[in-house]
Amino acid sequence: MMKGESVSIRDIEKRYGSANAVNRVSIEVAAGEFLSLLGPSGSGKTTLLMMIAGFQLPTAGLIKVGATDVTHVAPNRRNVGMVFQKYALFPHMSVRENIAFPLRMRKVHRQDIDRRVDEALAMVRLDAYGDRKPVQLSGGQQQRVAVARALVFEPPVLLMDEPLGALDKNLREQLQIEIKTLQQRLGVTVIYVTHDQEEALTMSDRIAVMNGGQIAQIGSPSNLYGQPASPFVAAFIGKMNFLSVEYLGRSESGTQIRVSDRSTISVTRETAAHGPALTYGRPLRAAIRPESISVLQKGLGGPTSIRGIVETSIYVGSHHILLVNIDGRSDAPLQVQAPAGQNLPAFTRGDAVDVTMDSDAIHLFGENGGVQ
């Protein structure tokens, strides 16, 4: 079993003139951890990964692998594996020769090379494909070869730059599970760049969400999904509804907010009760996930329900999606998600409904984006 090393990233910066691509980022990655760097294009995640790999030098800061300072060490001397989105396989070499390449560069004995290549082929389930050229393989098979080549010299750290981005959805989901299973079995530390939040949620022990060259929030998938620290993180991790609301005060049942002229609701999340002093009528942003909203026929929702009109009803296999316009509001409709097995009425456009929100699942954010 491979032994993963910790990775320490301290106050790393990368400046291009006056622009900061990465701005004072610090992360401690534990040995054997699977950490994803998640963010939109231009957030700095790939630049940070390239600095860890050594393909770009930081303007300031420190990078350590284990106890070794590698900040200014050449890429080939960092002893880290690298997998790219476009595979980067040598087209003139066979699969075996591609996998053997990093071992030959390290002057490993021929007999050991043969044994380790056989093990690597078995590891990625390509035992019968060793003599083929990359062009004779599917995209998924080529990516498996790239993973095997990156792991064959047993690096303590594996860096992956959107390795599944070029694959179709079904194959991408299959390889997500395969890579995560392989990583857990080998014990290697993985730092994985992606812009796909579902991919990050599926594979990661922790996720570092990046925005504007900085870490917006870092935590476990469940922590980021359930306790987003800002509207940006709330919107980027999963689907989220946002509503402009007004603060009305606090009571025994929770924080009271006005959703429309006719409707007020209570927010019982602990985070809602520990923000800065709020004044009556202060504008806030409420956020709630589609699966935390229920829709019933008009009159069946009870006193805490909000009136609404169905705009669209969509069946997507595993669940239904309803778009509901809230009474008295002109902003975008609420998106509601209900499991397909739930006995929902056959709602159609124009139906009057009662909307109920899970008061424990509502997040409140201030005008500056902070949690209230």
Side-chain angles (χ1 to χ4, degrees):
M1 186 179 191
M2 296 180 186
K3 181 174 172 53
E5 290 271 22
S6 62
V7 178
S8 182
I9 302 160
R10 301 178 188 171
D11 294 323
I12 283 294
E13 291 188 9
K14 183 62 178 180
R15 292 193 294 271
Y16 297 99
S18 60
N20 258 13
V22 175
N23 186 12
R24 296 185 65 84
V25 167
S26 295
I27 308 173
E28 298 294 327
V29 187
E33 183 177 18
F34 195 119
L35 176 84
S36 286
L37 303 176
L38 174 68
S41 297
S43 61
K45 58 189 186 298
T46 294
T47 301
L48 178 58
L49 192 79
M50 291 301 105
M51 288 190 285
I52 300 169
F55 297 124
Q56 294 187 31
L57 292 178
T59 307
L62 174 74
I63 300 171
K64 294 176 71 176
V65 174
T68 305
D69 182 349
V70 299
T71 312
H72 299 287
V73 173
N76 63 320
R77 296 186 178 275
R78 295 196 180 200
N79 199 32
V80 299
M82 186 81 198
V83 179
F84 299 92
Q85 178 177 346
K86 296 187 177 179
Y87 319 137
L89 301 177
F90 299 111
H92 63 288
M93 292 184 182
S94 69
V95 167
R96 291 190 65 87
E97 290 167 338
N98 266 282
I99 296 173
F101 183 78
L103 297 176
R104 294 209 315 270
M105 292 299 97
R106 288 166 173 78
K107 302 188 184 307
V108 175
H109 190 275
R110 176 62 185 269
Q111 187 174 348
D112 286 338
I113 290 178
D114 290 342
R115 174 183 58 80
R116 289 166 70 171
V117 169
D118 286 340
E119 291 173 353
L121 283 168
M123 178 177 64
V124 295
R125 298 186 292 110
L126 290 175
D127 313 60
Y129 294 82
D131 295 329
R132 296 192 186 186
K133 295 290 177 61
V135 71
Q136 297 174 295
L137 304 179
S138 69
Q141 289 168 336
Q142 290 185 56
Q143 196 55 282
R144 285 193 182 95
V145 175
V147 170
R149 185 178 62 182
L151 291 174
V152 72
F153 63 95
E154 299 182 352
V157 177
L158 178 63
L159 309 177
M160 307 185 83
D161 185 18
E162 305 212 40
L164 308 182
L167 305 178
D168 65 66
K169 185 176 185 296
N170 288 340
L171 183 54
R172 190 165 67 245
E173 291 175 352
Q174 176 187 336
L175 286 182
Q176 287 169 13
I177 301 300
E178 289 185 8
I179 290 172
K180 178 61 179 176
T181 302
L182 184 62
Q183 179 263 337
Q184 290 179 323
R185 179 160 58 85
L186 297 176
V188 65
T189 304
V190 172
I191 302 177
Y192 189 101
V193 162
T194 181
H195 65 273
D196 185 325
Q197 47 96 0
E198 289 187 10
E199 186 166 275
L201 290 170
T202 299
M203 303 179 74
S204 312
D205 297 315
R206 284 192 302 157
I207 302 169
V209 181
M210 295 193 68
N211 187 32
Q214 297 180 308
I215 302 294
Q217 188 175 353
I218 185 168
S220 67
S222 60
N223 173 255
L224 267 61
Y225 191 87
Q227 301 177 49
S230 68
F232 173 81
V233 175
F236 205 80
I237 300 288
K239 294 181 174 63
M240 185 70 85
N241 292 292
F242 289 94
L243 292 168
S244 297
V245 299
E246 290 181 2
Y247 174 76
L248 299 180
R250 292 192 173 103
S251 67
E252 290 184 0
S253 62
T255 299
Q256 307 299 309
I257 57 174
R258 178 183 286 120
V259 177
S260 69
D261 292 341
R262 302 178 184 179
S263 303
T264 63
I265 56 177
S266 293
V267 179
T268 57
R269 290 183 60 83
E270 183 180 349
T271 51
H274 295 283
L278 296 174
T279 56
Y280 181 87
R282 176 178 170 178
L284 297 174
R285 294 182 74 192
I288 185 165
R289 299 210 179 270
E291 65 269 22
S292 298
I293 306 172
S294 300
V295 174
L296 296 171
Q297 291 174 317
K298 182 180 177 181
L300 299 180
T304 61
S305 295
I306 304 166
R307 295 178 183 177
I309 301 293
V310 174
E311 180 178 295
T312 307
S313 177
I314 305 167
Y315 173 68
V316 292
S318 62
H319 56 273
H320 297 273
I321 294 176
L322 295 175
L323 300 182
V324 181
N325 289 309
I326 297 300
D327 185 32
R329 299 185 62 100
S330 59
D331 48 11
L334 280 180
Q335 184 175 137
V336 182
Q337 180 176 310
Q342 199 173 83
N343 293 322
L344 279 178
F347 291 120
T348 58
R349 179 178 175 85
D351 285 349
V353 293
D354 284 349
V355 177
T356 303
M357 301 183 189
D358 181 352
S359 59
D360 285 331
I362 299 172
H363 307 267
L364 293 180
F365 298 102
E367 293 172 293
N368 63 357
V371 174
Q372 297 301 305

